């Protein structure tokens, strides 16, 4: 099939006052500094001289990268590190060089941000003692611990939930919105720190009115699900953040399995490398279940009592039973770890309009087996829309290009970047006056659905 060429201009770093510009000037330096500090603390805690030396080398590489970005240096080829997408990234770097666009400030924002995390991964992957080190796990787990009260309440509510035919649609919408607003605690967006109270406020957005959802296709999704989804009984979650968001995704998935008659299998698609500070790795999926199973080892004693402890353990046992029975699955082997070789479409820098060109087997598998493919979070939305400067009223289905209709697509996205489509006339103008940062501050959202054709 022809290689997709987006008809709209991509977001880049060249316009002052944009969130893209702020990302490369302000946010990336903070993220890189925090990453280096995490490695520094790990080096100080390490007793092995080889690991210490390698760790110091990683820190030097991160500091050099930070300077190269600030000085608008040329991006480097990714060296062979045993991971995926190397040839694809390097071929695209060659194209940028041929066009004279291979320096950091001249790259498309979406591609550059993906390349940044893939390039960072090499620093760790080529060091024997750091191949399996996730520099973001500590922050992910700390954020989850800060969400302890919400986790306990949701666990208890999930175990006590009992639907009827009359309430099924209502609870479907409730769980969908829970998964939507769980994305509000993106650690890359919160680079530089956030208080526990601020985190709780972000995560409670789903309790507020639907006015914060600027495009809401919930009814279309429900109509598709209750119609039987073309005879398929599987849902796929293309995951975004770990910690609290992954927990809410698993709550939604559990609801689909246990409370509706429509689903009997959920497949979760994680990343293969540390990605955008907080994305789900296979270990994070296993860790969530293990942590709930032994809550006294992780959650603050102040939030635990016999009832809450029992709820967390019971939910962990239920989810482990889903895993054992094949109702919960990862799209990769369950025991996959960092450093394990294998393809990973989700960590290349391309928009999803090129999915069938780059990974036809992935598209075919989703088309044949999945009744609903749920893309979580802002980055997945940016890739679905090619991170381009569409008019805000452009239909969601139109910007999907050749991916439209190949399989049923549900995007649950809290707004953390400037691209936005599918809005009614006048919404953009109203929001520009009401909240000038509405496109990227995580307070607003869209629920966008494109059916199977």
């Amino acid at each position: 099939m022809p290689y997709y060429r987006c008809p709209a201009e991509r977001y880049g770093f060249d316009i002052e006052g944009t969130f893209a510009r702020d990302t490369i000037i302000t946010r990336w330096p903070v993220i890189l500094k925090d990453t280096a500090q995490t490695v520094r603390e790990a080096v100080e805690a390490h007793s092995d001289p080889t690991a210490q030396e390698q760790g110091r080398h990683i820190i030097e590489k991160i500091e050099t990268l930070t300077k190269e970005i600030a000085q608008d240096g040329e991006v480097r080829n990714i060296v062979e590190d045993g991971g995926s997408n190397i040839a694809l990234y390097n071929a695209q770097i060659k194209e940028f060089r041929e066009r004279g666009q291979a320096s950091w400030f001249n790259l498309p924002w979406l591609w550059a941000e993906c390349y940044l995390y893939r390039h960072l991964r090499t620093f760790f992957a080529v060091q024997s003692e750091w191949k399996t080190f996730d520099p973001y796990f500590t922050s992910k787990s700390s954020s989850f611990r800060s969400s302890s009260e919400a986790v306990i309440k949701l666990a208890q509510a999930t175990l006590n939930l009992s639907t009827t035919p009359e309430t099924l649609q209502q609870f479907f919408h409730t769980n969908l919105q829970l998964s939507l607003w769980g994305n509000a605690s993106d650690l890359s967006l919160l680079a530089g720190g956030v208080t526990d109270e601020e985190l709780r406020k972000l995560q409670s957005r789903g309790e507020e009115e639907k006015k914060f959802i600027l495009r809401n296709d919930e009814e279309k999704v429900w109509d598709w699900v209750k119609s039987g989804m073309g005879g398929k009984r599987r849902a796929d979650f293309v995951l975004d953040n770990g910690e609290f968001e992954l927990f809410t995704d698993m709550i939604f998935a559990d609801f689909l399995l246990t409370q509706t008659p429509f689903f009997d299998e959920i497949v979760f698609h994680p990343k293969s490398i540390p990605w955008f500070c907080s994305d789900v790795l296979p270990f994070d999926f296993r860790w969530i279940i293990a942590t709930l199973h032994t809550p006294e080892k992780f959650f603050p004693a102040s939030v635990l009592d016999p009832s809450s402890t029992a709820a967390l353990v019971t939910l962990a046992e239920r989810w482990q039973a889903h895993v054992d029975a094949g109702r919960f699955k990862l799209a990769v082997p369950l025991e996959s770890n960092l450093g394990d070789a294998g393809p990973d479409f989700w960590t290349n820098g391309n928009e999803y309009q090129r999915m069938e060109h780059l990974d036809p087997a992935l598209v075919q598998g989703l088309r044949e087996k999945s009744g609903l493919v749920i893309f979580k979070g802002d980055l997945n939305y940016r890739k679905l829309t090619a991170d381009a400067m569409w008019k805000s009223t452009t239909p969601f289905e139109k910007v999907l290009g050749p991916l439209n209709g190949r399989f049923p697509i549900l995007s649950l996205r809290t707004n953390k970047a400037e691209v936005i489509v599918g809005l009614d006339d006048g919404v953009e103008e109203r929001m520009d006056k009401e909240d000038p940062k509405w496109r990227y501050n995580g307070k607003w959202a869209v629920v966008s659905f494109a059916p199977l054709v």
Side-chain angles (χ1 to χ4, degrees):
M1 61 179 299
Y3 204 61
Y4 176 77
R5 301 291 180 184
C6 183
E9 184 178 353
R10 313 299 177 88
Y11 280 99
F13 303 114
D14 55 334
I15 303 176
E16 294 288 347
T18 62
F19 189 57
R21 183 77 172 185
D22 180 65
T23 292
I24 196 169
I25 296 293
T26 304
R27 293 176 60 237
W28 283 4
V30 172
I31 290 170
L32 292 171
K33 181 181 178 180
D34 289 348
T35 304
Q37 180 59 27
T38 298
V39 178
R40 189 172 290 111
E41 292 171 359
V43 168
E44 292 172 354
H46 227 299
S47 59
D48 180 70
T50 301
Q52 291 175 335
E53 181 180 356
Q54 292 180 357
R56 286 190 287 268
H57 184 67
I58 292 171
I59 294 169
E60 292 174 2
K61 298 284 283 186
I62 295 173
E63 291 174 343
T64 298
L65 174 62
T66 304
K67 293 176 182 177
E68 290 176 346
I69 295 173
Q71 296 168 1
D72 194 24
E74 187 170 289
V75 294
R76 300 171 181 265
N77 279 10
I78 296 175
V79 303
E80 180 55 57
D81 62 4
S84 60
N85 297 317
I86 297 174
L88 179 59
Y89 273 108
N90 289 344
Q92 291 172 322
I93 291 172
K94 181 181 179 182
E95 293 177 7
F96 289 131
R97 286 188 183 129
E98 291 172 349
R99 298 199 298 264
Q101 298 176 338
S103 64
W104 280 98
F105 281 77
N106 287 305
L107 296 169
W109 178 21
L110 174 64
W111 187 92
E113 202 156 17
C114 293
Y115 165 82
L116 173 68
Y117 287 95
R118 181 60 185 88
H119 188 49
L120 271 172
R121 170 58 189 160
T122 299
F123 300 166
F124 297 87
V126 298
Q127 303 294 345
S128 61
E129 305 305 307
W130 295 84
K131 285 180 178 290
T132 60
F133 183 75
D134 176 6
Y136 308 119
F137 176 72
T138 299
S139 57
K140 285 188 284 189
S141 61
S142 176
S143 178
F144 190 64
R145 195 172 192 269
S146 297
S147 309
S148 296
E149 293 181 11
V151 169
I152 289 170
K153 289 179 181 178
L154 288 172
Q156 292 171 330
T158 296
L159 294 172
N160 292 328
L161 180 62
S162 178
T163 61
T164 66
E166 292 74 27
T167 62
L168 186 57
Q169 180 177 356
Q170 170 193 340
F171 282 113
F172 177 85
H173 293 325
T174 299
N175 278 270
L176 183 151
Q177 287 197 43
L178 174 67
S179 180
L180 166 68
W181 292 113
N183 180 247
S185 52
D186 186 333
L187 296 178
S188 69
L189 184 69
L190 304 175
V194 63
T195 67
D196 289 354
E197 181 60 27
E198 289 169 333
L199 186 62
R200 282 193 289 272
K201 286 181 179 179
L202 284 169
Q203 294 170 344
S204 67
R205 178 66 66 180
E207 300 171 7
E208 302 181 19
E209 299 177 20
K210 287 186 178 181
K211 67 180 182 181
F212 292 99
I213 304 177
L214 301 176
R215 171 197 169 106
N216 194 345
D217 285 346
E218 286 183 10
E219 295 300 327
K220 293 180 181 178
V221 178
W222 175 249
D223 288 343
W224 167 252
V225 168
K226 72 178 183 180
S227 74
M229 300 177 295
K232 304 177 182 70
R233 299 182 58 82
R234 175 177 128 181
D236 286 68
F237 282 70
V238 182
L239 297 169
D240 191 44
N241 298 319
E243 36 99 34
F244 186 74
E245 183 180 355
L246 174 59
F247 180 75
T248 61
D249 293 340
M250 295 173 76
I251 290 282
F252 187 22
D254 180 90
F255 168 82
L256 295 179
L257 286 177
T258 64
Q259 299 295 325
T260 82
F262 308 119
F263 299 90
D264 53 28
E265 180 183 359
I266 309 292
V267 177
F268 299 94
H269 297 255
K271 307 299 190 301
S272 64
I273 62 174
W275 191 250
F276 283 68
C277 295
S278 49
D279 278 36
V280 178
L281 302 175
F283 174 80
D284 297 318
F285 180 86
R286 303 193 302 268
W287 179 84
I288 285 277
I289 297 176
T291 298
L292 297 178
H293 200 265
T294 55
E296 69 283 353
K297 295 182 180 180
F298 179 78
F299 293 96
S302 59
V303 302
L304 290 178
D305 57 30
S307 175
S308 60
T309 299
L312 295 172
V313 172
T314 300
L315 187 61
E317 291 174 344
R318 184 152 110 181
W319 287 356
Q320 186 60 54
H322 289 337
V323 172
D324 294 342
R327 295 187 294 269
F328 272 8
K329 295 180 179 178
L330 289 185
V332 297
L334 182 63
E335 296 303 319
S336 297
N337 287 307
L338 284 177
D340 293 347
D344 182 12
F345 174 82
W346 309 116
T347 57
N348 73 54
N350 287 272
E351 60 269 31
Y352 290 157
Q353 287 81 355
R354 297 181 177 180
M355 186 185 296
E356 194 156 18
H357 179 91
L358 297 172
D359 196 338
L362 174 61
V363 173
Q364 190 64 23
L366 293 173
R367 182 174 179 83
E368 292 179 354
K369 299 177 182 179
S370 187
L372 186 65
V373 184
I374 304 170
F375 287 87
K376 288 301 310 296
D378 186 74
L379 178 60
N380 278 321
Y381 185 87
R382 288 171 66 191
K383 289 193 169 187
L384 285 167
T385 59
D387 202 38
M389 298 181 186
W390 308 100
K391 290 184 178 180
S392 65
T393 54
T394 306
F396 178 66
E397 295 84 352
K398 179 179 179 179
V399 306
L400 294 174
L403 195 65
N404 183 43
R406 299 297 290 145
F407 48 81
I409 293 173
L410 170 61
S411 173
L412 303 181
R413 181 248 191 159
T414 55
N415 300 358
K416 299 174 188 173
E418 278 143 332
V419 60
I420 190 82
V421 299
L423 303 186
D424 290 337
D425 287 332
V427 173
E428 178 181 1
E429 293 76 13
R430 171 173 64 83
M431 291 307 305
D432 284 341
K433 295 178 181 178
E434 182 176 338
D435 182 357
K437 298 181 179 180
W438 66 278
R439 288 176 177 263
Y440 52 81
N441 61 12
K443 295 180 180 179
W444 305 87
V446 287
V447 176
S448 304
F449 180 65
L452 175 72
V453 176

